[in-house]
Amino acid sequence: MASLVVHFEIHASEPQKLIDFYSELLGWRFTQFGDIPYWSIDTGEGAIGNATGEPGFGINGGLTQRLGPKPEVGAPVTGANFVVGVEEIDATFAKGLALGAIEALPLDDMQGIGRVGYLLDPDNNVFGLISPILSDGTSTMGPVAD
């Protein structure tokens, strides 16, 4: 078995605030596990538990109560972060800012990779957005082989 990443977790000082943020920004669905402060995150086509029963194109995750203060803006990352593939990166990035995110790294074209930018969510967790479509409309994805 390959050592694939199959789950991610977001820590939240105010869970409902981040549930609302990610639901609105990315369309993710959250389900609380019993009475504990833990919610599963359905990203829509995640690798585990997607609606089709087939392997997905991404991973699902969880949101948990943070056990301590949230990171300060500008503090170094002390854990892992995640990057979400989106179709309309400029619009999604702007929507994140409108929903209360803070720009961590501005959108930029990275030749051979795609258009990338990073935000801090309302709890100051860093996360990235990526699209294969560059600002000039060209794609970094070559033709698919048969």
Side-chain angles (χ1 to χ4, degrees), residues 43-94:
T43 64
E45 292 186 26
I48 297 175
N50 67 39
T52 67
E54 299 294 321
F57 297 105
I59 61 175
N60 290 324
L63 184 132
T64 189
Q65 180 71 49
R66 185 182 300 283
L67 301 177
K70 69 182 184 180
E72 296 293 325
V73 174
V77 176
T78 58
N81 64 16
F82 58 92
V83 179
V84 180
V86 297
E87 291 183 28
E88 300 289 334
I89 193 166
D90 290 84
T92 304
F93 197 87

Side-chain angles (χ1 to χ4, degrees), residues 8-9 77 79-83 118-119 125-128:
F8 66 91
E9 290 184 338
V77 176
N81 64 16
F82 58 92
V83 179
Y118 284 82
L119 295 169
N125 298 302
V126 65
F127 70 100

Side-chain angles (χ1 to χ4, degrees), residues 24-138:
E24 180 70 21
L25 180 63
L26 300 171
W28 290 353
R29 294 178 302 280
F30 293 77
T31 304
Q32 187 170 3
F33 280 151
D35 294 329
I36 63 171
Y38 192 91
W39 293 258
S40 65
I41 302 172
D42 181 346
T43 64
E45 292 186 26
I48 297 175
N50 67 39
T52 67
E54 299 294 321
F57 297 105
I59 61 175
N60 290 324
L63 184 132
T64 189
Q65 180 71 49
R66 185 182 300 283
L67 301 177
K70 69 182 184 180
E72 296 293 325
V73 174
V77 176
T78 58
N81 64 16
F82 58 92
V83 179
V84 180
V86 297
E87 291 183 28
E88 300 289 334
I89 193 166
D90 290 84
T92 304
F93 197 87
K95 184 177 183 180
L97 293 172
L99 291 170
I102 298 170
E103 182 179 280
L105 287 173
L107 289 169
D108 193 21
D109 288 348
M110 299 180 72
Q111 294 302 318
I113 296 173
R115 189 156 172 77
V116 181
Y118 284 82
L119 295 169
L120 296 176
D121 72 17
D123 211 56
N124 297 340
N125 298 302
V126 65
F127 70 100
L129 299 173
I130 189 169
S131 170
I133 308 301
L134 301 175
S135 60
D136 66 4
T138 61

